[in-house]
Every structure is written in structure tokens, then in C-alpha cells.
Amino acid sequence: MRRVRDWVEERTGWVSSCRRILDEKVPGGARWRYVFGSVLMALFTLQFATGILLSLSYAPTAEDAWQSVRWTTESTHFGGLIRSLHVWGVSVILIVLLLHMAQVLLAGAYRRPREVNWFLGIGLLGLTLAFAFTGSLLPWDQRGYWATRVGMAIAGSLPVIGEPVQRLLQGGTALGTLTLNRFAVIHFVLLPGAFLAALMAHLALVWRHGITSPAGRTVEELGSRAQPFWPFQASKDLAVAGLLLVGLLAVAWCWPAELGDPADPSVSHAARPEWYFLFLFQLLKYFPGTWEVVGAAVVPALLLAILIGVPFLDSSPSLQFRHRRGVVGLMGALFLGLAFLTGQARWEDRVMRRVAMERATGIFTRHCASCHLDTGQGKHAGMPDFTRVEWHARHPEAALRRTILNGKRGKIPPMPAFKGILSDYEIEGLLRHIRGFGGKLDPEAPPEESTVTSPEGNQSTPEPLTTEEAPHDGRRGY
Amino acid sequence: MKRRTLLKICSLSWGAACAALLGVPVLGNFVSPLFRRPPREPEFTPVGRSFNFKVGGPPRLVFFTRLLRDAWTEREEPVSVWVQRLEKKEFRILSPVCPHLGCAIAQDRGGPSFACPCHNSSFTTKGAVAGGPAPRAMDPLEWRLEGNRLLVKYETFKSGLADLVRT
């Protein structure tokens, strides 16, 4: 073992380099608040591993993408868990990224001579968001499809460069196989390459400048309390990284990532971006018509400019926090603004949903009661009886949603399709109303669409919803 | 024990434990092809009418398709077999997949014997090895006559072995 080490050391010097990095002194001693960088590295490593595994059985065509993702989650060992880890991982990474930035801001670690590392950090944040945006389209489900469609329309609405940019990103005039291929190449090849390069530069600069020392200490004090990275800082890094990873595993295990219905341009879908893009989504509501460009480009560009400008806004040589109040206050205000917009987007959706739910009774009376009756028991033989608990147990929400959207053919009066007539929220309200007839089932909790065999399963009712359909339900992660 | 040593041991074991926990799904997913089985038992597929083959005639390459479940898709894969009619109701059907490394066996300069174009394995008209690196004779395939319909059970065997082992 030693001889191998010496052989490698003599030819490369890698052993002593590793030792130098591990023995690097942390001025003032190890601290919990220095852990975020290492934690991010651990999270990104997992993201790369799960991403590579997912890409092994993924086909970036409009025909195949959704099927291949479903196949991966259902027909490979731990496939659903791997996908859930990858999907949940994005949210965890963004939260830790915010904490990392906050720590850098509070410590003043963006100041001379570390400005370039602040810029690289912003670049890494941008690349992470680009990963999230391109990745959300890849399963080609309703959510990803519509979120991308809106995103592309926003890009297209920019003056002059809008249309060419949109076409280059889409690979044509509309979302389709070429878009998927582009997004896949960006997500699998270009972004990882750029990310790794930026990360290397980021780490090299951390190594060059070291950690920003805590304020208000003399050089002697910092020196006497300094501790080597290994094991003092490393143990803290490992503790937090391990806890977060295990927590992420638990979350992914308990709440499998949703794979929505396959992308369908004909079905209305209340397109909502992921939580980390909600502020942009909300911003657009404030700028009607030709002012859209302000919300879509000017404000985000301004935000980016402020972020990049932070090292120039605070050029005081002092490490003392009170000299940095202005910049920290500005960033705090910006953060609160973004948090407010995000919260507002959530709140407005909740209100819309409640209103639609309240309308559900009226909708049922107008559209459904002529056949299903106000009691929900059905006018004709062979119609479902909504008051039966067993019927609810056999019919998952997604299947009911499909029947409402697509209607139903049959001998008993056929049911019209409500695609394009009812909004998403109205259908959701209607589902709750229908569940409400069943009395005993908790209307808030849709039943598991397992193969519950009901005692009267052989009844000759022309069921449009066979159990074979059930696995198509988007809620099944794996 | 020194505080530093204790920290080192704790850190390493905690890190290893977390890595192992996450390694289970990651490695488990990675090795799932090792546990994947061929999707279904091969079925007898019609390849032609018996009267189209001359008794005692030279081997003929017959093309047909088989339905294949391939990951999330189902597709028709074109395949071929070498058919010889020995007697009125007696056939010899040989797989064109070379038992050496799986190339497609062709006729040796107009036949009736066979040769593989990749590594020059050669086979007699009956399929026995006549030369070259092939470890076994050409793979015989099961066949059946239903009236005058000739059916064959198309399957593949592991290459490079002296024995017939289904893939």
C-alpha cells in the first residue's frame, strides 16, 4: 500500500496535494456556518448519479419520452426512488444554495479579492436554474409541457431577439420532439460540462483565497484558534451533508415524485411553474399587454445586475458587519420581495381553487344532474351510484378526471366530454362534490387506486375505467 | 483517545453509513439489467408453405418478423432462418446466427455449405463445423408442420459456448 502511494506521489504529487487540502488551516476554527459549500457538493454528486441512471432508459422523443420515464420508474429496481431523489433533490439544492449565498453575504465573503468567486457562484446558480427548467420538460407530462410552453412564449415575447431565441430553443416553431432533443442535450451534456468547469474554478478560488475570517479578531487570535480542515471542519460538513441526504432519501421514499398525465395540448392545464420560478410567474401578472417585457425581462435582468453588483456596492475594506448594513439590507429586501411574490402566487391559486370548488354544486346541477340525479344515484340502470363507498374505492381520481374530460360512449345515454368546457379547478371541485356523495370516504383523501376487488365487481355495468387504466394515474410514482 | 482521532473515526463511519444507504438504490438501479429476463417464451411463427421448398433442394434463407417487447415499446423485428426440405415432411432449419460471435452466416460461395463472413468459420450443409473458430455446429431450430404451413420457433443461443444455452 505504502509503495503504491510512494510510486504515485513520486510521479504526480497527488498524495501531498490531497494532504495539503485536508490539512488546510481554517482561521478561527471550524464552524457550522461553513458547511454549505460541501453540502452542496454532496447534493450535486447525488444529482449527477441519479441523473446518469435516469438517462440510461430515457428516449427524448414526443412519442416515447413519457412512456420511457414511466417504464424507468416501474420496471427498473428502485427506478421510482431514483427519480424521486432527482426531482426532490432540486428543491433541496436550491434551498441550500440560498443559505450558502446568505452566509457569503453576511460574512462579506464577496469582497475583494473574492469578487470573481461571487460571480462564479451566481453563474452556478444560473446553471442550476437552467438544469431545473430543462429537466422539467423531459418527462413530457402535462406539467412540464405547459410550464415549458409558457416559458417559451415568454422568451418569444421579448422584443427583436424574442422570436429567434424561442425558435433556437424549441428547434422549430412549436414544442415537440426537436425541443425534447435539444433540452435533453442541454440537460445531459452542455449544462453538466459548463457546471463542472465553473465548479472547478469556484473551488480553485476558494483554495487560493481561503475562507473569509470572522470579523473582529486579531490575526494572532485567528491563528491560535485555527484548526485543520480534516477532521474538524470536515466532520461538521459530513454531519450536515449526511443528515440532509438521509432526509432527502426519506422524503423521496415517502412521497414519490409525481409523473403527471402525458402531455396533451388539447387539455387545459393551469400551468404553474415549480416553486422556485413562482416569483417570475407572479411578476407577469403585474405587467399587462405591451408592458409584459418589463416583468419578463427588465425586472429579472435588474435582479441579476444587482446580484452581480454586490461586490461593487460594498467596497468598504472593513470586515465589520455594520459597514455592510446597506448591502445586506438591500439583499434582504430583495429576498423578502421574492418571498412575497411566491407567497402571493400560492395564495391567489388557493383563492381561485376555493371559488371553483364553491361553484361545483352549481356545475353538477347544470351539467350532470339530468342523468346522474341530484342525489348522485343515477337515473338509468348501469349508471354508477355515487353514494356507494365501494364505487369510490374502485375509481381513482385520475380515472374519473379522464372520464369527465373525454366523456363516455355506451348504450345508456352517452356522457359528453367536458374537455375545454370546465377548467382544471372546476373539475377538481366537481371531483370533490362527487366524492362527497360517497359519505364515508374522506373527501380530502383520494383512495389508493390499488386493485381493490369489490364484492360486486362482476356486475354487468359497462365500466369505462378498467383496472388496466389505473397505472396511468399520474400520482403513482412507482 | 484523542479528540481528533475520535472525530476522524466518527466522521468516516457516518460518511460511510450515509454513502452505503444511498448506494443501495443507486447501485441497485444500476445493476437492474442483470435481473432482466427475456420477456416471453418464443412462439412458433409461420415462415412459409411447405410446397415452396423443393425436397432435397439447397438451403434457402427465409425472412419473417417476430413481435418483440423492447423496453417500453413493442416492435416487429425482422429475422431470418436457413430452411432445407429433406423429405416430404422432414425439414432442417438452422439459425443464421454464428455460434462463434453472433455474425450472420451466409452460403459459402454459392453453397450449398455455409461460411461466416466475420472470422471464416465454415459449416457443412448439415450445419456441422468444417473449419474456423466456431465452438459448435450451427444452431438447429424447432419446427412444426400444420397442414402445409411451416412454423419455426425462433430463438437465440449464447455464442462462444460448445453447448446450446438459451439466451
Side-chain angles (χ1 to χ4, degrees):
Chain A
M1 198 57 195
R2 168 154 304 184
R3 279 175 56 194
V4 174
R5 208 175 55 188
D6 292 344
W7 191 93
V8 172
E9 168 63 14
E10 192 190 329
R11 281 149 189 88
T12 61
W14 290 343
V15 178
S16 52
S17 302
C18 280
R19 184 153 295 156
R20 266 206 309 281
I21 290 173
L22 289 178
D23 289 342
E24 167 83 350
K25 288 272 191 288
V26 180
R31 271 153 211 263
W32 288 105
R33 63 172 112 120
Y34 298 157
V35 301
F36 300 118
S38 305
V39 169
L40 280 170
M41 295 262 289
L43 287 167
F44 273 112
T45 306
L46 181 68
Q47 210 67 3
F48 269 74
T50 50
I52 288 169
L53 289 173
L54 289 172
S55 72
L56 293 181
S57 48
Y58 173 74
T61 67
E63 285 266 283
D64 276 325
W66 189 85
Q67 286 288 353
S68 70
V69 173
R70 191 162 81 109
W71 186 86
T72 306
T73 57
E74 289 177 2
S75 304
T76 63
H77 297 295
F78 300 108
L81 185 60
I82 294 289
R83 188 172 110 82
S84 302
L85 282 171
H86 198 70
V87 172
W88 282 113
V90 184
S91 293
V92 179
I93 280 177
L94 282 165
I95 291 168
V96 181
L97 255 173
L98 278 179
L99 292 172
H100 189 47
M101 282 179 82
Q103 144 70 8
V104 167
L105 271 171
L106 291 173
Y110 49 81
R111 294 170 328 124
R112 193 176 166 223
R114 296 185 177 83
E115 295 99 323
V116 175
N117 229 10
W118 172 255
F119 303 150
L120 282 169
I122 294 169
L124 286 166
L125 171 66
L127 289 171
T128 307
L129 291 175
F131 264 123
F133 182 71
T134 50
S136 76
L137 176 70
L138 297 181
W140 202 247
D141 62 352
Q142 280 285 63
R143 188 184 177 116
Y145 175 84
W146 288 96
T148 310
R149 202 158 130 160
V150 172
M152 290 290 128
I154 293 172
S157 72
L158 299 180
V160 191
I161 56 160
E163 209 188 319
V165 165
Q166 184 184 4
R167 284 212 184 187
L168 284 174
L169 281 170
Q170 282 180 174
T173 51
L175 239 59
T177 293
L178 287 171
T179 323
L180 267 178
N181 254 289
R182 276 167 186 256
F183 275 46
V185 171
I186 293 171
H187 194 85
F188 299 168
V189 183
L190 301 182
L191 288 176
F195 188 88
L196 287 178
L199 183 64
M200 288 300 137
H202 197 65
L203 291 177
L205 285 181
V206 170
W207 172 241
R208 182 183 166 92
H209 298 303
I211 284 173
T212 306
S213 320
R217 302 277 166 81
T218 62
V219 179
E220 294 77 40
E221 233 181 327
L222 291 172
S224 65
R225 305 184 66 168
Q227 286 174 312
F229 175 76
W230 171 252
F232 295 99
Q233 185 60 46
S235 60
K236 292 185 163 58
D237 293 2
L238 275 169
V240 178
L243 275 179
L244 260 181
L245 287 176
V246 172
L248 174 59
L249 186 67
V251 169
W253 181 271
C254 298
W255 292 280
E258 197 168 321
L259 175 61
D261 287 339
D264 182 348
S266 72
V267 176
S268 96
H269 183 89
R272 292 291 178 273
E274 297 293 337
W275 64 266
Y276 36 83
F277 288 129
L278 269 181
F279 71 95
L280 286 173
F281 158 80
Q282 185 69 13
L283 207 52
L284 291 179
K285 294 185 188 168
Y286 287 98
F287 299 99
T290 48
W291 289 96
E292 172 137 277
V293 66
V294 179
V298 176
V299 176
L302 218 67
L303 278 177
L304 184 66
I306 294 175
L307 266 185
I308 292 176
V310 160
F312 307 110
L313 293 176
D314 165 31
S315 51
S316 113
S318 162
L319 269 169
Q320 290 297 336
F321 181 72
R322 61 190 143 87
H323 295 292
R324 237 182 358 269
R325 274 188 204 140
V327 168
V328 173
L330 175 66
M331 297 308 286
L334 275 182
F335 177 78
L336 286 180
L338 297 187
F340 173 76
L341 285 172
T342 308
Q344 199 184 24
R346 287 256 151 148
W347 174 252
E348 285 181 5
D349 270 2
R350 186 172 281 192
V351 170
M352 260 169 79
R353 196 172 168 147
R354 206 172 48 221
V355 170
M357 300 274 214
E358 280 161 5
R359 277 212 304 268
T361 317
I363 290 170
F364 190 87
T365 312
R366 197 163 38 195
H367 291 296
C368 319
S370 59
C371 289
H372 289 289
L373 302 181
D374 278 319
T375 57
Q377 283 166 310
K379 193 171 168 186
H380 306 274
M383 271 188 177
D385 180 352
F386 296 150
T387 59
R388 295 191 68 91
V389 178
E390 298 85 0
W391 183 86
H392 288 282
R394 266 185 326 189
H395 292 84
E397 202 157 294
L400 295 180
R401 190 188 308 268
R402 257 198 308 281
T403 307
I404 295 174
L405 284 173
N406 301 326
K408 193 167 131 183
R409 280 166 292 178
K411 280 181 224 149
I412 37 176
M415 176 171 156
F418 288 96
K419 214 183 234 187
I421 296 172
L422 298 179
S423 77
D424 267 18
Y425 290 122
E426 287 170 334
I427 289 175
E428 204 176 317
L430 207 49
L431 285 173
R432 297 269 169 266
H433 188 77
I434 293 169
R435 288 283 192 233
F437 286 119
K440 284 170 199 160
L441 283 175
D442 176 10
E444 285 301 315
E448 284 297 315
E449 85 281 14
S450 54
T451 44
V452 183
T453 40
S454 77
E456 85 271 51
N458 294 332
Q459 246 184 4
S460 60
T461 37
E463 290 291 0
L465 316 157
T466 61
T467 39
E468 285 152 42
E469 266 186 290
H472 289 277
D473 179 6
R475 278 172 185 277
R476 264 184 68 137
Y478 55 92
Chain B
M1 201 190 301
K2 273 172 67 183
R3 179 173 131 79
R4 181 186 286 232
T5 322
L6 188 69
L7 254 183
K8 280 185 183 174
I9 293 171
C10 289
S11 304
L12 283 177
S13 19
W14 169 244
C18 293
L21 195 60
L22 282 155
V24 171
V26 169
L27 283 180
N29 186 259
F30 178 68
V31 300
S32 50
L34 300 182
F35 304 98
R36 207 159 285 147
R37 309 209 164 277
R40 64 169 76 122
E41 183 72 5
E43 285 162 13
F44 280 95
T45 321
V47 289
R49 302 281 176 179
S50 59
F51 51 72
N52 286 330
F53 300 94
K54 214 175 96 188
V55 176
R60 244 179 67 195
L61 192 60
V62 179
F63 298 90
F64 57 101
T65 58
R66 62 167 174 166
L67 195 62
L68 197 68
R69 204 161 164 75
D70 186 359
W72 55 90
T73 64
E74 199 154 77
R75 60 190 177 87
E76 297 217 312
E77 188 185 53
V79 285
S80 58
V81 290
W82 285 104
V83 179
Q84 298 170 57
R85 192 174 187 185
L86 308 173
E87 312 264 343
K88 193 166 186 300
K89 292 202 165 178
E90 191 62 31
F91 285 81
R92 179 192 290 137
I93 301 191
L94 298 173
S95 165
V97 180
C98 181
H100 178 220
L101 289 172
C103 286
I105 296 170
Q107 268 180 323
D108 193 9
R109 271 164 288 165
S113 59
F114 300 97
C116 178
C118 289
H119 308 96
N120 297 336
S121 289
S122 54
F123 306 88
T124 65
T125 316
K126 288 180 180 174
V129 180
R136 62 167 189 260
M138 285 169 72
D139 301 330
L141 297 175
E142 281 178 52
W143 56 273
R144 203 162 73 192
L145 267 181
E146 277 176 9
N148 57 18
R149 282 195 334 152
L150 177 62
L151 298 102
V152 64
K153 187 168 158 188
Y154 186 87
E155 51 191 336
T156 51
F157 303 89
K158 281 185 185 160
S159 56
L161 302 177
D163 300 315
L164 271 188
V165 180
R166 285 203 178 88
T167 48

